[in-house]
């Protein structure tokens, strides 16, 4: 739990020599897949707006039709999901301020072999893949942004760290409430397209689809 409160901006947790200690667990903070996708679209769009006609940028904006000016949430999300289905993680880099990276499935980041690559070294003669004992514990607990305060304290209680967690949460100014849902702005077609692409997230992270959303 100490490590959790020191991570910032996707920082890597240091794995102790010899691998995770007995009893260590891995956990992830997740968000409803469709709501996260809309939020990611807004992030990507806000980073790109005003720069789409720049001649000096290295960002290949023509590959990201969802960054067009004045595009709606529904059209932007549908366009992004279509591109994700065609290209996978191929275009995920920093050239467009991670305009594509933010749209990737949450399950993609939890894939064990991707974690292995993250913890591997790249010496001059080729990459040395990290061994299992050099990786953090596999994820077995999901904390949801929609109920993060309750989920986090439940995890802390299970780890006998309630007092420590409460103190750190207070020092950090509390846990802010999640922003309101953006799904009301989406058409049914856009929601269905996102659900099809993010189906691994629904299954892996335990989110259910409302009956009217899964049609």
């Amino acid at each position: 739990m100490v490590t959790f409160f020191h991570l910032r901006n996707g920082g890597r947790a240091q794995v102790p020599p010899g691998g995770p200690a007995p009893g260590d667990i891995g956990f992830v903070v997740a968000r409803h897949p469709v709501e996260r996708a809309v939020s990611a679209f807004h992030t990507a769009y806000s980073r790109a707006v005003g720069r789409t006609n720049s001649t000096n940028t290295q960002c290949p904006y023509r590959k990201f039709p969802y960054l067009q000016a004045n595009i709606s949430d529904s059209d932007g999300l549908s366009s992004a999901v279509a591109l994700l289905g065609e290209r996978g993680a191929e275009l995920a880099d920093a050239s467009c301020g991670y305009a594509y990276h933010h749209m990737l499935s949450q399950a993609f980041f939890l894939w064990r072999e991707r974690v292995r690559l993250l913890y591997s070294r790249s010496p001059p003669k080729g990459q040395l893949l990290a061994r299992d004992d050099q990786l953090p514990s596999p994820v077995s607990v999901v904390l949801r942004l929609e109920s993060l305060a309750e989920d986090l304290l439940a995890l802390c209680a299970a780890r006998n760290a309630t007092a420590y967690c409460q103190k750190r949460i207070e020092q950090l100014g509390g846990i802010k409430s999640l922003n309101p849902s953006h799904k009301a702005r989406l058409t049914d077609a856009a929601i269905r397209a996102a659900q099809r692409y993010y189906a691994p997230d629904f299954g892996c992270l335990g989110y259910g689809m409302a009956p009217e959303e899964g049609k």
Side-chain angles (χ1 to χ4, degrees):
M1 297 310 301
V2 174
T3 300
F4 171 72
F5 283 112
H6 283 85
L7 291 181
R8 291 291 185 274
N9 299 320
R12 242 178 15 172
Q14 294 301 313
V15 179
D24 281 0
I25 63 170
F27 64 93
V28 63
V29 179
R31 186 174 184 178
H32 186 284
V34 177
E35 294 186 5
R36 173 182 172 273
V38 178
S39 176
F41 163 68
H42 285 178
T43 297
Y45 187 86
S46 65
R47 292 186 179 188
V49 69
R51 295 187 287 137
T52 54
N53 295 320
S54 172
T55 58
N56 296 322
T57 180
Q58 295 181 354
C59 175
Y61 282 105
R62 65 185 180 280
K63 296 182 180 179
F64 302 98
Y66 60 85
L67 299 183
Q68 300 173 64
N70 300 319
I71 196 168
S72 70
D73 283 357
S74 288
D75 289 342
L77 182 59
S78 297
S79 178
V81 167
L83 187 62
L84 286 163
E86 294 171 2
R87 306 294 290 271
E90 178 186 350
L91 302 178
D93 59 39
S95 63
C96 299
Y98 291 106
Y100 185 87
H101 192 275
H102 283 280
M103 303 297 302
L104 295 173
S105 165
Q106 294 171 91
F108 169 78
F109 296 99
L110 300 179
W111 179 41
R112 193 63 173 168
E113 293 310 307
R114 184 187 182 279
V115 174
R116 188 183 307 280
L117 290 175
L118 181 64
Y119 279 82
S120 297
R121 295 187 295 114
S122 299
K125 294 185 179 181
Q127 190 170 50
L128 295 177
L129 293 178
R131 303 185 308 271
D132 287 346
D133 64 359
Q134 295 174 318
L135 303 179
S137 301
V139 171
S140 59
V141 175
V142 176
L143 311 182
R144 297 183 177 183
L145 278 177
E146 295 83 5
S147 55
L148 183 56
E150 296 85 354
D151 291 355
L152 177 57
L153 287 176
L155 174 61
C156 292
R159 305 297 291 175
N160 296 317
T162 298
Y164 169 78
C165 291
Q166 289 177 331
K167 179 179 180 181
R168 290 295 291 133
I169 290 172
E170 291 175 1
Q171 291 173 338
L172 294 170
I175 296 178
K176 296 180 180 179
S177 300
L178 189 64
N179 291 333
S181 170
H182 297 290
K183 285 200 298 181
R185 305 178 187 178
L186 300 177
T187 62
D188 290 342
I191 291 178
R192 288 195 296 270
Q195 289 176 333
R196 284 192 295 271
Y197 176 75
Y198 294 109
D201 283 4
F202 281 98
C204 176
L205 303 174
Y207 281 94
M209 298 183 192
E212 66 274 12
E213 292 178 4
K215 295 179 181 178

